[in-house]
Amino acid sequence: MKPKLIVVGAAGRMGKRILALALEDGLFDIVGAVERQDHPDIGKDTGIVAGTKTISVKLDTNYPAGADVVIDFSQPQAADNSIDYCTENGVALVLGTTGLSDQQRERIKTASEKIPIVYATNMSVGMNLLFTQVGKIAATLGEDYDIEIVEQHHRFKKDAPSGSALTLAENICKTTGRKFPESLDLGRSGKDALREKGKIGVHAVRAGDITGKHQIIFSTLGETVTFSHTAHTRDTFARGALRAALWLTDKKPALYSMTDVLGINNGK
Ligand code: NAD
């Protein structure tokens, strides 16, 4: 039997692609599509909202009973509803929403004692490979290399810096003995803004319809090494989310990362 799937943030940029690809692949039985109360498409057929075919599941504000897995790409204030629904009903959760508070991250950890959860700020294969490598690279290059992270996203993105930029920075902090997030210099500015040794500069560009680009710059006197990841389409994240949802269906309660899903050796 196919896993029964609910998509939260269903009429958003990510939600629509997740629904469209789930319909194309046919690996899930879509049982619910959740949106905010005042969304203009509430009550419309979800397949049509996603730009594909009629599926007789209406865009709704409620989570229907009987799901196996929820994929949430919505807004931080909505993620709590998904955590509550999944915990109360023993449903697996794939959470891609970024900009969550420390309190929400704690809630995810607590919930993962009861249900399997994949929480990842970026669900692409390439970025997850970078997540596993940046810490090692930073530690190998050593403290004389200044580190700056520059991320670019579309003009509609609400949170800054991106969740992925923060994950990159956090992974560097872990291997280099820096404190996270205290070691970050977010969007340096001012008349006396000389680079502080040891800080990781993080800068957010918001322009046009850029899907997502991250650069990690390691620079010292005499050379610069730059690693870069560019997402060409949201489908790379949507496919990752669906892969995570399928992978989660037979997993025990725990908090998993995308590197677990993708089987990338993260050197732990
Ligand atoms: P979006 O604004 O297009 O979509 C978000 C949707 O959530 C909207 O349709 C909005 O109406 C809906 N929403 C708001 N409140 C809600 C509620 N209470 N209940 C249900 N739905 C609600 O944004 P997007 O570009 O689709 O991104 C969504 C989230 O996913 C953002 O946090 C973004 O940063 C994140 N994201 C993560 C990844 C990843 O790989 N983890 C990739 C891309 C985007």
Side-chain angles (χ1 to χ4, degrees), residues 80-117:
D80 282 330
N81 296 337
S82 292
I83 297 168
D84 288 345
Y85 169 84
C86 289
T87 315
E88 283 159 21
N89 296 283
V91 174
L93 173 62
V94 175
L95 190 53
T97 302
T98 61
L100 302 184
S101 64
D102 291 346
Q103 213 178 7
Q104 285 180 303
R105 282 166 169 244
E106 278 308 311
R107 288 201 70 213
I108 293 168
K109 274 189 205 155
T110 309
S112 71
E113 288 163 16
K114 291 191 177 158
I115 54 165
I117 301 180

Side-chain angles (χ1 to χ4, degrees), residues 8-9 11-15 34-36 39 73-75 77-78 81 96-98 120-123 154 157 159 234 237:
V8 182
R13 283 174 286 264
M14 281 300 303
V34 180
E35 258 298 338
R36 65 185 153 83
H39 196 284
F73 278 70
S74 59
Q75 290 297 322
Q77 66 272 20
N81 296 337
T97 302
T98 61
T121 55
N122 191 305
M123 302 216 173
H154 50 90
K157 184 165 177 63
D159 55 320
R234 286 187 179 83
F237 310 124

